[in-house]
């Protein structure tokens, strides 16, 4: 019976795939499970902390399927902390505080969290009550201060901003440099800047030029080709520009947090090919997490790279 059932399943899958192929479609395994959204909020265990999330936030289930999700960020923070015990972390796109929980699980360092989405910010406020030395700021960031009409996709869990001059909502944007100065954070020893804002990442980094030049933090940000295309953002020139600021080592992680490539910023051909792949509709990763180290922190880059090899 089992043999007959397996044969039946195989034949059905082949029949369906042939049907789709004749119409120009195909089925490709990506390693990204389909996760049904839930209306009820819940609790996810993230590192050493329980983090409340709205039911619409797929991370609520993701952290159960992948309990080690985003742990490379925690290992990165721990490695930086060894050299800079007085470090401060800036978390742009703090969402509900899950990445703050990951960082706090390895080092009780000050964190500045920035989140613009209304629903996510409400959960962020609640979750941050269990942490010490966390400052949160509610605002959207860009490369300049301005107001713009935008629409939102995946609001309430992974807000993606799309410029929309016809039917969009008028939203105010600040730069990270403004947030750091106006919030009185400029005297902090900012040594890790994490950005995860669904395609706006390189835009936000351009608005953090003064902060990056002064503090030379390790940069850790999402690089989502699909979302960048949607807003017509060409992120590659921004990535390559960090070489002029003394940044030397660059690491690429896949969407599950596995190290894919480690190279130098001078290796522009390889970096460009990585950009070309993630910008292609045929890519199977969805996005990269990119980590870039200043030349003053070559030792941190080397230690972190060797540590990540253990998890491959």
């Amino acid at each position: 019976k089992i043999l007959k059932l397996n044969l039946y399943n195989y034949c059905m899958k082949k029949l369906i795939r042939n049907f789709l192929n004749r119409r120009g479609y195909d089925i490709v395994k990506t390693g990204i499970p389909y996760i049904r959204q839930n209306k009820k909020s819940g609790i996810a265990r993230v590192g050493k902390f329980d983090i409340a999330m709205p039911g619409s936030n797929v991370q609520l289930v993701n952290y159960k399927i992948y309990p080690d999700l985003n742990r490379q960020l925690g290992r990165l923070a721990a490695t930086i902390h060894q050299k800079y015990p007085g470090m401060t972390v800036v978390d742009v796109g703090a969402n509900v505080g899950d990445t703050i929980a990951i960082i706090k699980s390895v080092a009780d360092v000050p964190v500045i969290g920035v989140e613009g989405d209304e629903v996510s910010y409400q959960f962020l406020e609640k979750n941050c009550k269990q942490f010490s030395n966390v400052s949160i700021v509610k605002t959207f960031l860009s490369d300049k201060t301005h107001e713009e009409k935008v629409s939102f996709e995946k609001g309430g869990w992974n807000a993606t901003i799309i410029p929309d001059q016809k039917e969009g909502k008028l939203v105010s944007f600040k730069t990270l440099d403004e947030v750091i100065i106006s919030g009185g954070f400029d005297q902090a020893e900012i040594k890790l800047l994490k950005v995860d804002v669904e395609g706006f990442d390189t835009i936000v980094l351009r608005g953090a030029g003064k902060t990056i030049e002064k503090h030379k933090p390790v940069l850790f940000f999402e690089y989502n080709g699909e979302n960048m295309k949607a807003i017509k953002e060409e992120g590659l020139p921004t990535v390559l520009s960090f070489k002029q600021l003394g940044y030397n080592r660059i690491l690429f992680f896949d969407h599950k947090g596995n190290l894919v490539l480690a190279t130098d910023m001078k290796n522009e051909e390889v970096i460009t090919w990585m950009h070309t792949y993630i910008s292609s509709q045929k890519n199977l990763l969805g996005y990269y997490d990119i980590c870039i180290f200043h030349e003053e922190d070559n030792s941190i880059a080397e230690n972190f790279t060797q540590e990540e090899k253990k998890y491959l």
Side-chain angles (χ1 to χ4, degrees):
K1 290 182 178 179
I2 295 176
L3 180 61
K4 288 182 179 179
L5 182 60
N6 287 339
L7 180 61
Y8 173 79
N9 289 338
Y10 170 78
C11 290
M12 286 302 297
K13 289 179 180 178
K14 188 173 182 179
L15 182 64
I16 293 171
R17 189 168 187 180
N18 287 340
F19 174 80
L20 292 173
N21 287 166
R22 288 196 298 271
R23 285 156 178 78
Y25 298 96
D26 198 2
I27 299 174
V28 179
K29 184 177 180 180
T30 66
I32 305 174
Y34 168 74
I35 299 173
R36 186 188 300 274
Q37 291 188 0
N38 194 335
K39 292 182 179 180
K40 294 182 179 180
S41 61
I43 302 292
R45 187 68 178 178
V46 183
K48 298 178 180 179
F49 301 93
D50 290 329
I51 300 298
M53 301 185 185
S56 59
N57 192 327
V58 297
Q59 298 293 57
L60 186 60
V61 178
N62 267 334
Y63 277 107
K64 295 179 181 179
I65 299 176
Y66 306 113
D68 292 332
L69 187 68
N70 293 320
R71 292 297 177 87
Q72 80 275 25
L73 180 60
R75 294 190 292 268
L76 174 62
T79 304
I80 299 171
H81 188 244
Q82 292 176 1
K83 180 176 180 180
Y84 301 107
M87 68 179 283
T88 291
V89 177
V90 176
D91 183 359
V92 178
N95 203 274
V96 297
D98 54 309
T99 47
I100 295 178
I102 288 171
I103 292 168
K104 287 288 188 176
S105 295
V106 299
D108 190 15
V109 297
V111 179
I112 303 163
V114 183
E115 176 58 51
D117 181 79
E118 183 67 40
V119 175
S120 295
Y121 189 83
Q122 290 176 10
F123 278 83
L124 178 63
E125 279 188 307
K126 295 176 183 177
N127 288 322
C128 282
K129 291 179 181 178
Q130 63 188 310
F131 306 132
S132 60
N133 295 320
V134 173
S135 303
I136 56 176
V137 180
K138 185 178 183 299
T139 187
F140 288 107
L141 298 181
S142 185
D143 55 355
K144 60 182 180 297
T145 300
H146 70 290
E147 291 186 337
E148 184 175 358
K149 285 187 176 182
V150 301
S151 59
F152 293 90
E153 296 180 358
K154 296 177 287 186
W157 69 274
N158 210 18
T160 303
I161 301 172
I162 307 294
D164 185 352
Q165 296 300 319
K166 292 183 178 180
E167 300 179 1
K169 173 185 176 182
L170 189 63
V171 172
S172 297
F173 292 87
K174 295 182 180 179
T175 67
L176 181 59
D177 284 339
E178 287 180 280
V179 170
I180 294 299
I181 294 173
S182 64
F185 304 123
D186 197 41
Q187 298 308 310
E189 189 179 17
I190 299 172
K191 284 301 175 183
L192 174 57
L193 170 54
K194 169 256 172 183
V195 183
D196 184 353
V197 285
E198 301 304 311
F200 262 71
D201 305 74
T202 47
I203 298 174
V204 169
L205 289 171
R206 291 199 295 274
K210 293 179 181 178
T211 300
I212 293 172
E213 189 171 2
K214 177 179 178 179
H215 297 278
K216 304 178 181 66
V218 176
L219 307 176
F220 186 92
F221 57 97
E222 185 179 276
Y223 200 77
N224 190 315
E226 181 179 354
N227 285 349
M228 287 191 290
K229 280 186 177 179
I231 60 173
K232 296 180 173 56
E233 165 66 4
E234 179 65 38
L236 182 60
T238 299
V239 173
L240 295 176
S241 72
F242 292 120
K243 179 184 174 183
Q244 308 304 320
L245 296 177
Y247 280 81
N248 178 49
R249 197 71 174 157
I250 181 169
L251 278 61
F252 293 81
F253 292 85
D254 66 18
H255 61 277
K256 289 185 179 179
N258 300 304
L259 180 62
V260 176
L261 174 72
T263 189
D264 294 330
M265 289 294 294
K266 64 183 179 182
N267 201 344
E268 293 190 9
E269 183 178 7
V270 170
I271 296 172
T272 300
W273 270 113
M274 295 294 283
H275 161 82
T276 301
Y277 172 77
I278 208 65
S279 301
S280 168
Q281 292 183 346
K282 295 182 179 180
N283 87 76
L284 298 180
L285 296 182
Y287 63 86
Y288 299 130
D289 281 321
I290 296 180
C291 187
I292 309 181
F293 300 82
H294 194 273
E295 60 187 4
E296 293 182 2
D297 291 325
N298 282 341
S299 61
I300 295 179
E302 178 62 25
N303 292 339
F304 180 59
T305 302
Q306 293 304 318
E307 178 70 13
E308 290 309 290
K309 287 181 180 179
K310 299 177 184 178
Y311 296 90
L312 294 177

